[in-house]
Amino acid sequence: MIVTLTANPSIDRTVNLLGRLERGTVLRAAATHSDPGGKGVNVARALTSAGVDAVAVLPGNAGDPLLTALSEHGIEHVTVATSGSARTNITITEPDGTTTKINEPGVTMSAGSLADLQSEIIERGSRAEWVVLSGSLPPGIPTDWYATLVEALRSASCRVAVDTSDAPLLALADRFPAGCPDLVKPNSEELAQLTGADGHLLEESALRGDPTATAHAGRQLVDRGVEAVLATLGAAGAVLVTEAGAWWATPPPIVARSTVGAGDSSLAGYLAAHLSGASPADCLRSAVAYGSAAAALPGTTLPTPEHVDIDAVTVTALSSPAPDPA
């Protein structure tokens, strides 16, 4: 079982434009659709489609359209009462795959709801293989809450993965090594936030065939106590760094239609492979195959196994980055 936590869930509404997004004009949509969303919800959706037992833990009340959508998608979920309905996030996609997102802040969480949510995730973590702490935090939750949860889950037998950004990510790093998860999944900008690197240069270097800067940045986090760093790099694939080594995986050529959910799908692919006992290189291969498949799908559509071509991903072992001399 994999348990995902989404503290700030959403209904993700996608608008597919017929042409380019132009400010201040009237635009025509080719299609629109809505899906249950939030990063942890996306991970649970992708895992469930892959036949992996997963449960999404989130705030929500009876009658919330988000919970109805989760049931319609066949996603097992557990909720704690909160003060309102889930937010709506809007994704605008252009024909060339350019994606624009407008995310609402979310419902303010009371102290009581926060305590209930924390109790639920810790109790379920005691019976899980992995707990995934994923996404932004809504108003009312301290920015260091993920670090608090990681420390609390240390007494459980589960592994913990974290995928977040900005203040919650930096607060997590401030609590290393006590707050070190087993896996962090930053994109290039988030890895830059953690290490002081230039996120644009990390991705550009990998696109030119040189992922060593990303591997060195990931190694900084491993040196601080993180067991594994899965750094996703968009079209350049992803780099995995552990104490045992570093690997780079590149996807097959695709026509990108939307980047929404690609990182969440990568994390789901990694976890599904890890549960099966795959090697680090094959966990990375699965991650990139799932992320690439997601990017080739429209809007917030997430990949199912028939979309995923694991054998088309190339994995290269990198020279193990040296520990930071500092």
Side-chain angles (χ1 to χ4, degrees):
M1 173 65 72
I2 294 178
V3 175
T4 72
L5 170 66
T6 309
N8 204 12
S10 61
I11 290 288
D12 285 350
R13 182 166 178 79
T14 300
V15 179
N16 304 118
L17 296 181
L18 287 169
R20 290 183 59 201
L21 175 65
E22 300 283 351
R23 293 181 60 198
T25 64
V26 176
L27 304 171
R28 302 289 180 183
T32 65
H33 65 274
S34 297
D35 290 302
K39 294 182 71 62
V41 166
N42 289 342
V43 173
R45 284 175 58 196
L47 287 169
T48 299
S49 295
V52 177
D53 288 336
V55 58
V57 177
L58 65 157
N61 304 316
D64 190 322
L66 170 63
L67 305 188
T68 301
L70 285 171
S71 297
E72 291 173 347
H73 281 73
I75 308 303
E76 184 179 351
H77 56 280
V78 175
T79 63
V80 301
T82 188
S83 59
S85 297
R87 60 187 175 147
T88 297
N89 291 339
I90 299 174
T91 298
I92 302 170
T93 64
E94 301 173 49
D96 66 354
T98 300
T99 301
T100 303
K101 291 204 68 178
I102 304 171
N103 291 348
E104 295 182 3
V107 175
T108 299
M109 186 168 292
S110 68
S113 294
L114 178 59
D116 290 344
L117 193 59
Q118 181 162 325
S119 295
E120 188 70 48
I121 200 70
I122 291 172
E123 191 279 328
R124 290 190 174 270
S126 67
R127 296 179 277 120
E129 294 284 341
W130 280 91
V131 171
V132 179
L133 311 177
S134 196
S136 63
L137 298 177
I141 294 186
T143 56
D144 65 348
W145 190 52
Y146 282 148
T148 298
L149 286 180
V150 171
E151 293 176 16
L153 287 165
R154 282 190 176 277
S155 60
S157 59
C158 64
R159 293 174 176 267
V160 181
V162 179
D163 181 9
T164 190
S165 61
D166 301 322
L169 180 64
L170 296 176
L172 177 74
D174 285 343
R175 298 266 285 271
F176 288 175
C180 273
D182 298 276
L183 173 69
V184 292
K185 196 223 69 64
N187 60 25
S188 58
E189 289 300 322
E190 292 156 358
L191 186 58
Q193 290 176 1
L194 288 170
T195 64
D198 184 315
H200 177 73
L201 290 180
L202 291 179
E203 199 161 314
E204 285 298 311
S205 295
L207 281 170
R208 293 194 300 268
D210 182 7
T212 54
T214 299
H216 280 280
R219 177 66 197 216
Q220 291 182 41
L221 302 183
V222 172
D223 289 343
R224 295 179 64 189
V226 178
E227 184 174 311
V229 178
L230 174 62
T232 52
L233 300 169
V239 168
L240 177 66
V241 184
T242 73
E243 189 64 40
W247 300 264
W248 176 39
T250 54
I254 63 164
V255 176
R257 301 181 68 185
S258 173
T259 58
V260 178
D264 306 326
S265 298
S266 293
L267 180 53
Y270 180 97
L271 296 175
H274 190 276
L275 279 184
S276 72
S279 66
D282 284 338
C283 288
L284 177 62
R285 189 189 308 274
S286 179
V288 170
Y290 269 81
S292 176
L297 294 169
T300 54
T301 305
L302 299 180
T304 57
E306 58 264 30
H307 297 122
V308 177
D309 187 355
I310 291 178
D311 292 336
V313 175
T314 300
V315 178
T316 304
L318 304 175
S319 299
S320 183
D324 189 335

